[in-house]
């Protein structure tokens, strides 16, 4: 039975706080729906299958449902009824009232309690007494035993822990079940094949069932949660359990302390975290934490994470970044010179990591893992195989090419000597059709112009140079080895799930090559085993094919024994004038605290549709909760201080021509050092503005934009010859002659009249100062989207888009103008990443974590006023 929801649908311009229904209310509904007060002949057991995602599925594992049990009468053999009775003495009245006080409320108090609930809620069963032992059809059950509970015909029996045994005031024997989930009962659903069939997940859901519903006593082993758990580490058992599954934000986490019990049958106990996973790293505020940014783009996500973590005290540094886009890599390197930026595919990066580990193992820098493939490279490295000139100056890399003997290129007998190896990659850098491990070679007596990529198979006589390169690379950590990464973040592209793709594979999304990067991302996580994982993606991840890919991502982390939770965050809720909902998936090693999601700081204009099936994964306040949020940001708050520029502006750097007008603008102008809490920068350089120029419209589009009135809501519908019908569709006005441009093309193009069947007002539309944008786009063309400046005849500039994404003004982009728009449009909103970085720090260095998956950020986060005041005071000084 699906739970009730308040659905928020798209297109509304009304302001609304982002809220969600209380998870506690949903859990209570589940428990009450499943409680049984039926007769002993036919009873109903709780299914403990929560409405995690709602909606329908082939097997309604996520919807609330009642399961009728089979009749509990014995077969014809004597016709005896099921024998269910308590054994031993009852728990003393004083002890029972202390342990289960609500079971012994007087009738008047219970009646008041019941009347305060909805009429259809079930009454809490009142107890006459409690027991700690019972017999059902022969087997004897003790309190806290695990057991099978009878399900409906053709269904697998349910699995529970018996946490209470009571005789009701009417004499009926009951037990209270605290439920375990099989993988297919959780949000993972149809991807349960990723999980060991004997693995179950403990929950917090409890409810009462007639005692005769117990079927079989089980042995469920409590196994320490451990990344890399081997099969021989699981004791002999019916099932094993190492995690809790909690409804809020589809959370999988290590067993809570009260769930840790001695496994009496194997005489083993739960190990401490140190025993489970090795010694936990003792972190200090000043120790460097390393971050790998996969599918990094120009680095917005890692930039925000580092800003947020560093505000809270952690020294998080983007050590490595990988992206296939050359210009995005150049932008990231320009803004983060400390980062090893690799312009290559994630697949090649993963292959390179594996080869790099093999090289380091061959030189005994790291230990070989049992699962590692046989080492082929340099098993005979001994350092004595080359007669190198010890007088070579290996640091003399800048040889003057003009002095090199370049005239001997036709001499086939000429030999070249390797001076130094500069870089390493996996792939086919020479486009020769031969993929493999390559080194970039600096040749002796030649300069950088003659550097070449050479396969390792062709450098068999250069083992000393290879050794030197690996030693340097290992010491400087040019590539991460397993266990050396603290955080992996990234947004693997899943292009096949786009609504614009008419040929999407809904039956098996992972069979589509365009979704392969999600698999690669998880394989990199599995190989490197970072302490924390943060994956970002579009909301279609949990909308397309009933959320198949989102469930896969969660399932893979659980398969790897990572704790995990999934939430959806709106950029506008963290101080931006756009909505832009995205999915974020946290993962954490068993030794770590699973990071929370930061609650919104700002009011927001709701746009688009929040997926109903995962609506309760929206990071928001509970409905009806009294909250004091910052005022929503509008377009004017973000860009009104920027200099006026025209359609043909070409300058890459210009000066501000007026003071900032809002707190947002004052903050976004701060230097990198100031944002990190350091001193301000003096001189004119800090006043330069980068990337403040627009995509240049062609003459026809420019002339059209110039004709659009400068007022709110203006668009192509305001041009002559267009008439709007009562049903809001446009049509040609027969009384107005069609207007043409100088080029001979019509002022109002046909595509504008037919876009969205003539109902759209987006073509050539102006934004206005008191509005927000739905989302920052990657294509700066006004044909089908509202991206025209309110008062200037042009589309929004690169810098204006960057402001809407929360990029600091100091962040400079590289590449052609279209590439810069793409970098900004594809980025994770920096304020969202910043808030997540703060939450990450709280998990790393904060106090004992709460079970609450949500975190309240400090007031006025990120303390903008203090940083502005600090920068201003230092300027005066």
């Amino acid at each position: 039975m699906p739970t009730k929801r308040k659905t928020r649908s798209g297109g509304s311009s009304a302001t609304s706080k982002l809220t969600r229904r209380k998870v506690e209310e949903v859990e209570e509904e589940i428990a009450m729906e499943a409680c049984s007060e039926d007769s002993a002949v036919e009873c109903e057991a709780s299914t403990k299958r929560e409405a995690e995602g709602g909606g329908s599925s082939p097997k309604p594992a996520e919807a609330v449902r009642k399961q009728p049990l089979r009749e509990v009468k014995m077969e014809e053999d004597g016709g005896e009824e099921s024998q269910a009775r308590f054994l031993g003495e009852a728990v003393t009245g004083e002890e029972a009232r202390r342990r289960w006080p609500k079971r012994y409320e007087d009738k008047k108090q219970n009646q008041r309690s019941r009347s305060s609930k909805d009429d259809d809620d079930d009454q809490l069963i009142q107890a006459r007494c409690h027991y700690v032992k019972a017999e059902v059809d022969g087997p004897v059950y003790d309190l806290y035993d695990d057991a099978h509970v009878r399900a409906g015909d053709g269904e697998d029996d349910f699995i529970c822990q018996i946490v209470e045994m009571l005789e009701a005031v009417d004499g009926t024997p009951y037990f209270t079940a605290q439920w375990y989930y099989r993988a297919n009962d959780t949000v993972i659903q149809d991807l349960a094949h990723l999980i060991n069939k004997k693995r179950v997940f403990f929950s917090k859901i409890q409810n009462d069932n007639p005692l005769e519903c117990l079927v079989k006593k089980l042995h469920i082993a409590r196994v320490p949660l451990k990344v890399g758990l081997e099969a021989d580490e699981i004791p002999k058992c019916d099932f094993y359990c190492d995690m809790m599954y909690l409804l809020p934000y589809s959370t999988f986490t290590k067993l809570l302390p009260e769930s840790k019990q001695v496994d009496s049958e194997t005489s083993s106990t739960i190990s401490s975290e140190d025993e489970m996973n090795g010694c936990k790293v003792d972190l200090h505020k000043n120790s460097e934490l390393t971050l790998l940014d996969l599918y990094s783009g120009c680095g917005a996500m890692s930039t925000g994470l580092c800003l947020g973590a560093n505000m809270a005290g952690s020294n998080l540094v983007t050590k490595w970044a990988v992206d296939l886009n050359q210009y995005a890599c150049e932008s990231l390197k320009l803004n983060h010179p400390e980062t090893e930026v690799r312009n290559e595919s994630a697949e090649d990066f993963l292959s390179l990591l594996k080869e790099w580990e093999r090289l380091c193992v061959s030189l005994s820098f790291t230990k070989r893992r049992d699962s590692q493939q046989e080492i082929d490279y340099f098993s005979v490295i001994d350092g004595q195989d080359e007669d190198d000139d010890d007088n070579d100056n290996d640091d003399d890399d800048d040889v003057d090419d003009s002095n090199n003997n370049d005239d001997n290129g036709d001499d086939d007998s000429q030999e070249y000597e390797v001076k130094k190896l500069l870089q390493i990659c996996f792939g086919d850098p020479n486009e020769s059709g031969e993929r493999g491990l390559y080194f970039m070679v600096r040749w002796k007596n030649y300069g950088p112009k003659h550097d070449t990529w050479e396969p390792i198979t062709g450098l068999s006589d250069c083992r000393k140079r290879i050794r030197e390169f690996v030693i340097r690379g290992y010491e400087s950590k040019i590539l991460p080895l397993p266990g050396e990464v603290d955080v992996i973040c990234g947004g693997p592209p899943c292009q096949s799930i786009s609504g614009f793709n008419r040929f999407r594979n809904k039956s098996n999304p992972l069979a589509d090559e365009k979704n392969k990067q999600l698999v690669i991302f998880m394989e990199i996580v599995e190989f490197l085993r970072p302490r924390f994982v943060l994956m970002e993606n579009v909301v279609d991840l949990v909308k397309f094919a009933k959320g198949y890919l989102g469930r896969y991502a969660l399932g893979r982390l659980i398969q790897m024994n990572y704790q995990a939770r999934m939430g959806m965050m709106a950029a506008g809720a963290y101080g931006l004038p756009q909505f832009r909902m995205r999915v974020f998936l946290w993962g954490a090693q068993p030794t770590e605290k699973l990071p929370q999601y930061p609650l919104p700081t700002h009011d927001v204009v709701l746009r688009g549709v929040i997926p109903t099936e995962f609506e309760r994964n929206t990071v928001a306040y509970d409905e009806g909760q009294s909250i004091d949020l910052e005022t929503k940001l509008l377009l004017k708050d973000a860009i009104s201080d920027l200099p006026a520029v025209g359609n043909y502006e070409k300058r890459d750097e210009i000066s501000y021509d007026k003071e900032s007008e809002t707190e947002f603008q004052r903050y976004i102008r701060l230097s990198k050092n100031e944002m990190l809490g350091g001193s301000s920068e003096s001189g004119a350089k800090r006043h330069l503005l980068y990337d403040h120029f627009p995509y240049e419209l062609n003459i026809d589009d420019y002339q059209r934009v110039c004709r659009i009135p400068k007022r709110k809501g203006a668009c192509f519908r305001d041009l002559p010859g267009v008439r709007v019908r009562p049903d809001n569709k446009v049509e040609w006005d027969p009384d107005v002659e069609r207007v043409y441009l100088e080029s001979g093309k019509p002022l109002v193009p046909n595509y504008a009249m037919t876009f969205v069947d003539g109902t759209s007002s987006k073509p050539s539309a102006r934004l206005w100062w008191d509005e927000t944008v739905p989302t920052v786009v990657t294509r700066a063309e006004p044909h089908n989207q509202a991206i025209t400046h309110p008062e200037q005849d042009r589309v929004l500039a690169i810098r204006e888009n960057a402001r809407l994404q929360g990029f600091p003004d100091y962040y400079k982009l590289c590449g052609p103008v279209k590439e810069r728009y793409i970098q900004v449009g594809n980025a994770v909103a920096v304020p969202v990443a910043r808030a997540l970085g703060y939450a990450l720090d709280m998990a790393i260095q904060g106090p004992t974590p709460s079970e609450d998956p949500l975190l309240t950020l400090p007031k006025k986060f990120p303390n903008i006023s203090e940083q502005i005041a600090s920068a201003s005071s230092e300027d005066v000084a």
Side-chain angles (χ1 to χ4, degrees), residues 71 73-81:
E71 288 190 354
K73 289 188 178 289
M74 300 290 287
E75 297 297 328
E76 290 296 320
D77 189 14
E80 298 182 14
E81 293 187 4

Side-chain angles (χ1 to χ4, degrees), residues 228-260:
L229 181 72
E230 299 294 338
D232 58 7
E233 298 180 72
I234 302 173
K236 186 176 181 180
C237 57
D238 297 304
F239 300 96
Y240 74 93
C241 178
D242 56 6
M243 298 186 88
M244 297 281 295
Y245 174 62
L246 306 175
L247 176 64
Y249 299 91
S250 309
T251 298
F252 293 81
T253 186
K254 55 190 172 187
L255 289 169
L256 302 176
E258 59 266 25
S259 300
K260 296 180 180 180

Side-chain angles (χ1 to χ4, degrees), residues 671-798:
S671 67
K672 182 177 182 179
N673 195 43
E674 290 166 345
M675 284 194 177
L676 293 172
S679 60
S680 62
E681 299 176 5
S682 60
K685 186 169 181 60
R686 68 169 297 189
H687 297 290
L688 288 177
L689 187 63
Y690 307 120
D691 306 305
H692 187 45
F693 60 92
Y695 171 71
E696 183 179 314
L697 300 175
N698 62 47
I699 188 63
D700 292 335
D701 285 336
Y702 177 61
Q703 289 179 1
R704 290 179 182 122
V705 166
C706 289
R707 299 283 293 270
I708 302 297
K710 294 178 174 61
R711 59 171 175 78
K712 184 174 182 177
C715 66
F716 81 98
R717 294 181 172 209
D718 295 287
L719 298 176
V722 179
R723 187 167 66 183
V724 182
R725 297 182 346 203
D727 62 358
N728 195 39
K729 290 189 176 183
V730 293
E731 64 182 7
W732 299 112
D733 188 339
D735 298 327
V736 178
E737 186 177 350
R738 194 166 187 183
V739 180
Y740 290 86
L741 302 170
E742 296 174 1
S743 65
K745 294 181 181 179
L747 173 62
V748 180
N750 291 334
Y751 66 76
M753 299 293 290
T754 59
F755 186 58
V756 194
D757 197 25
T759 62
S760 177
S761 59
K762 289 185 178 180
S764 300
R766 287 192 185 277
L767 294 165
W768 202 246
W769 296 117
D770 63 352
E771 296 177 338
T772 65
V773 298
T775 187
V776 173
V777 296
T778 56
R779 296 182 62 186
E781 297 174 352
H783 301 154
N784 57 7
Q785 52 200 358
I787 58 170
T788 306
H789 190 277
E791 296 177 348
Q792 298 168 33
D793 295 325
R794 58 174 178 82
V795 296
L796 291 183
I798 301 167

